[in-house]
Amino acid sequence: MENPCEVLGSKGLIRRHEFVRIIIQCLYSLGYSNSASCLELESGVSYKSNELKLLESLILNGNWEDSIEYLNSIQDVLGETRESAMFLVFRQCVMEYLNCGEDALALGVLRKQVSALDVDNCKVHSLAMCLLSFKDRELGGIGDDDVVVRDLRRKLIADLENLLPPPISLPEARLEHLVESTVTAWVDSCMYHSSSNRLSLYEDHCCSRDQIPTRTTQILTGHKNEVWFVQFSNNGEYLASSSNDCTAIIWKVLEDGILTLKHTLNGHQHAVSFVAWSPDDTKLLTCGNTEVLKLWDVETGTCKHTFGNQGFVVSSCAWFPNSKQFACGSSDPEKGVCMWDCDGNVIKSWRGMRMPKVVDLAVTPDGEYLISIFMDKEIRILHMGTNAERVISEEHPITSLSVSGDSKFFIVNLNSQEIHMWDVAGKWDKPSRFTGHKQHKYVIRSCFGGLNNTFIASGSENSQVYIWNCRNPTPIEVLSGHSMTVNCVSWNPKIPQMLASASDDYTIRIWGPSFLKMGMPN
């Protein structure tokens, strides 16, 4: 017999008999019944507690009164589960009485005992309906088959085993839960984790900084002036950039991770400050604070449509999931936010005093929310299905907005040198804050990235790129290389180790891990 006071581990925190009992449970669940039985015999520790064994014996023999009496005798151990456990036993009792034609006994249990329990009324009503309609008079139409009755009693025991608290019963898959909790804690405490590979249990996990982009792998020099915006396509196969030189460029990401120029998009008369990929990556929108909105064919590089006229300027735009409609926001209060289709038809618009100057906007990837920045400090979150809206007020001017790939979070850059992360659903009272970068007077853009949007990256006015883990308010990496302000960053959604940054130094830098070879996933 195991000594219940004996402990294991260097810190003496693990009770030996509990540890062995959990192992036995795991062996049974894995199908190693013989090994589990041998361990029970050798250790003197039983998977099932004495209380559960006695209750099991009473139920299998149909001793309902004794079963209820025993549950009442251990009510201090059962706590809040006692009433629910008694209901399960009474339900089986009532059903068996009905099956035997003992309607009066079944009605008596329902009236005197079941109705007195503090359980969900719906459950009681459902049981009453069974009695009145005789819907389940024969336990599902099987009749008096002893095997069926025994199987149903065993199901009752299994239900009770899942319901009753420790130490009477063990939570299902307890060892797996403990191990998963440990692995999750490893990942949560690993500031550089960005790998989809399964972790080994043989050693504690900790990623090195090589898992994320930390060194320049390529410098793109296709623009002839300041580069204001970069964004990878949704499939990770392209990068689009826009510049003060009035052009946008589409770059192709090759299999070895090298980028080559695919198309230079000419046609704008002024600086291009924003681009947006359609979800299917076949189309690209380009616009600027003093520019019209243009739609381009990605494959051919030709302009398919110009929206509005020279008086219609668009500061930002975002696609809806169907790749056929998009929203655009204007810095002109008279223009507000418009929803267009690809043929230039206005589907919906929000204008007037409730929609003043729009700084930036985004549509969540699932298409449920339209998020816009207006009046410099206000965040408007509109549910597209219900038209319900929520407004968040920041204390300092907001310059940009970015949404996570899972549609759950968004980040905003403030000129107070902070990045704030909010949840889209509105459950948070306060944002998560990230600091360390420099931003006073220019538009600086940030993005989510890495595996499961674990990281945030941002440009900075001090010519560096900053990377944070979403769980840590201070940067885990500061990347040097640019010689002037870094305006925008974009993380490749399909290659977690690839990051792009756009700078006033006329260049785009591609960042990768220090030694790992990058490339498109198979």
Side-chain angles (χ1 to χ4, degrees):
M1 178 67 66
E2 285 279 328
N3 179 0
C5 297
E6 190 175 353
V7 295
L8 297 174
S10 59
K11 298 181 179 179
L13 300 177
I14 305 171
R15 294 174 181 170
R16 184 185 182 96
H17 75 282
E18 291 184 353
F19 186 71
V20 174
R21 187 180 173 193
I22 289 172
I23 293 175
I24 294 170
Q25 180 201 40
C26 182
L27 289 173
Y28 274 122
S29 68
L30 293 175
Y32 303 135
S33 300
N34 292 336
S35 298
S37 298
C38 289
L39 183 53
E40 284 181 307
L41 183 63
E42 184 174 355
S43 66
V45 176
S46 176
Y47 160 50
K48 293 185 177 179
S49 64
N50 292 331
E51 294 89 347
L52 190 61
K53 288 179 180 178
L54 177 55
L55 190 59
E56 182 178 28
S57 175
L58 293 172
I59 290 173
L60 288 177
N61 290 316
N63 295 331
W64 306 120
E65 290 185 6
D66 290 344
S67 298
I68 294 299
E69 183 178 346
Y70 182 66
L71 288 174
N72 281 321
S73 71
I74 57 172
Q75 59 181 327
D76 291 341
V77 180
L78 297 181
E80 296 180 353
T81 65
R82 181 180 71 93
E83 304 260 328
S84 296
M86 292 176 68
F87 175 79
L88 291 177
V89 175
F90 280 136
R91 184 180 66 182
Q92 181 68 22
C93 175
V94 167
M95 301 308 294
E96 291 195 19
Y97 280 155
L98 288 174
N99 191 59
C100 295
E102 300 286 354
D103 297 351
L105 291 176
L107 184 60
V109 172
L110 182 64
R111 284 178 171 175
K112 297 178 181 179
Q113 295 171 293
V114 175
S115 60
L117 296 177
D118 183 19
V119 294
D120 187 352
N121 286 334
C122 292
K123 295 180 179 179
V124 178
H125 292 160
S126 176
L127 185 57
M129 290 301 296
C130 288
L131 190 151
L132 294 173
S133 66
F134 300 105
K135 178 180 180 181
D136 294 319
R137 173 182 277 282
E138 296 184 355
L139 296 178
I142 305 299
D144 297 326
D145 191 330
D146 290 340
V147 175
V148 174
V149 172
R150 195 167 186 83
D151 286 344
L152 289 172
R153 290 177 180 178
R154 288 196 177 280
K155 182 181 184 303
L156 169 61
I157 294 168
D159 291 340
L160 288 170
E161 190 172 354
N162 290 329
L163 174 66
L164 300 180
I168 295 178
S169 178
L170 292 181
E172 186 177 4
R174 184 60 182 166
L175 183 58
E176 290 93 328
H177 171 74
L178 293 174
V179 174
E180 283 185 343
S181 297
T182 298
V183 173
T184 300
W186 285 345
V187 173
D188 288 345
S189 63
C190 179
M191 290 296 103
Y192 291 100
H193 187 73
S194 187
S195 172
S196 58
N197 296 331
R198 288 188 175 90
L199 304 185
S200 172
L201 300 181
Y202 294 148
E203 59 182 357
D204 292 353
H205 170 76
C206 184
C207 291
S208 69
R209 64 192 296 266
D210 301 315
Q211 291 294 322
I212 65 171
T214 54
R215 72 177 180 92
T216 300
T217 59
Q218 189 177 2
I219 301 175
L220 306 179
T221 57
H223 287 290
K224 297 177 175 61
N225 209 314
E226 298 169 353
V227 188
W228 288 354
F229 199 93
V230 284
Q231 187 178 73
F232 279 104
S233 60
N234 301 285
N235 59 17
E237 296 179 7
Y238 299 100
L239 175 73
S241 59
S242 65
S243 168
N244 194 27
D245 66 6
C246 308
T247 71
I249 294 178
I250 297 177
W251 309 84
K252 172 66 176 175
V253 181
L254 303 180
E255 292 186 0
D256 59 0
I258 299 299
L259 278 71
T260 60
L261 192 150
K262 180 177 177 66
H263 298 299
T264 298
L265 309 181
N266 296 297
H268 285 285
Q269 302 302 312
H270 302 92
V272 183
S273 60
F274 199 93
V275 303
W277 290 93
S278 62
D280 63 7
D281 295 321
T282 63
K283 297 178 282 289
L284 184 74
L285 290 169
T286 58
C287 59
N289 287 326
T290 58
E291 256 298 336
V292 294
L293 177 68
K294 289 182 177 289
L295 175 66
W296 306 83
D297 181 274
V298 172
E299 183 60 32
T300 63
T302 57
C303 182
K304 300 179 68 174
H305 197 90
T306 298
F307 297 84
N309 50 44
Q310 293 301 321
F312 179 73
V313 294
V314 176
S315 58
S316 56
C317 49
W319 289 88
F320 287 94
N322 61 10
S323 294
K324 297 178 180 179
Q325 299 164 339
F326 57 88
C328 57
S330 175
S331 57
D332 184 345
E334 296 300 320
K335 306 299 182 182
V337 174
C338 293
M339 183 177 177
W340 297 72
D341 64 20
C342 293
D343 295 323
N345 301 309
V346 177
I347 301 171
K348 194 172 184 179
S349 62
W350 299 266
R351 297 187 177 97
M353 292 303 294
R354 296 183 68 247
M355 187 55 62
K357 175 184 176 181
V358 178
V359 176
D360 201 355
L361 62 74
V363 174
T364 54
D366 59 14
E368 289 195 10
Y369 293 91
L370 171 64
I371 306 174
S372 54
I373 309 299
F374 62 98
M375 290 180 63
D376 292 335
K377 300 179 183 179
E378 305 293 321
I379 306 169
R380 178 179 181 264
I381 304 170
L382 175 69
H383 191 280
M384 297 301 296
T386 64
N387 282 325
E389 69 176 35
R390 177 167 57 97
V391 175
I392 299 173
S393 297
E394 290 281 9
E395 295 181 359
H396 300 277
I398 304 167
T399 65
S400 63
L401 162 72
S402 182
V403 179
S404 63
D406 58 10
S407 301
K408 294 181 179 179
F409 306 98
F410 66 90
I411 48 179
V412 291
N413 278 60
L414 311 177
N415 70 0
S416 60
Q417 301 190 120
E418 284 191 343
I419 295 172
H420 289 181
M421 180 170 73
W422 294 90
D423 72 310
V424 174
K427 298 178 181 178
W428 296 2
D429 294 327
K430 297 180 180 179
S432 296
R433 300 170 184 263
F434 305 90
T435 59
H437 65 301
K438 306 300 179 185
Q439 180 178 2
H440 292 289
K441 53 185 179 179
Y442 298 127
V443 174
I444 301 296
R445 298 185 182 275
S446 56
C447 69
F448 288 93
L451 185 70
N452 299 323
N453 299 291
T454 303
F455 304 105
I456 292 173
S458 178
S460 177
E461 291 179 9
N462 64 355
S463 75
Q464 295 176 316
V465 176
Y466 288 76
I467 297 177
W468 296 262
N469 186 295
C470 286
R471 299 184 299 274
N472 196 320
T474 57
I476 59 174
E477 289 292 339
V478 179
L479 311 183
S480 300
H482 286 292
S483 59
M484 298 180 71
T485 295
V486 179
N487 300 303
C488 183
V489 292
S490 179
W491 214 302
N492 192 310
K494 299 302 181 182
I495 307 177
Q497 292 83 23
M498 180 181 285
L499 177 73
S501 59
S503 172
D504 282 351
D505 65 9
Y506 298 15
T507 70
I508 300 165
R509 282 183 177 256
I510 306 300
W511 306 84
S514 60
F515 69 88
L516 294 179
K517 181 179 180 181
M518 290 187 303
M520 293 299 296
N522 293 327

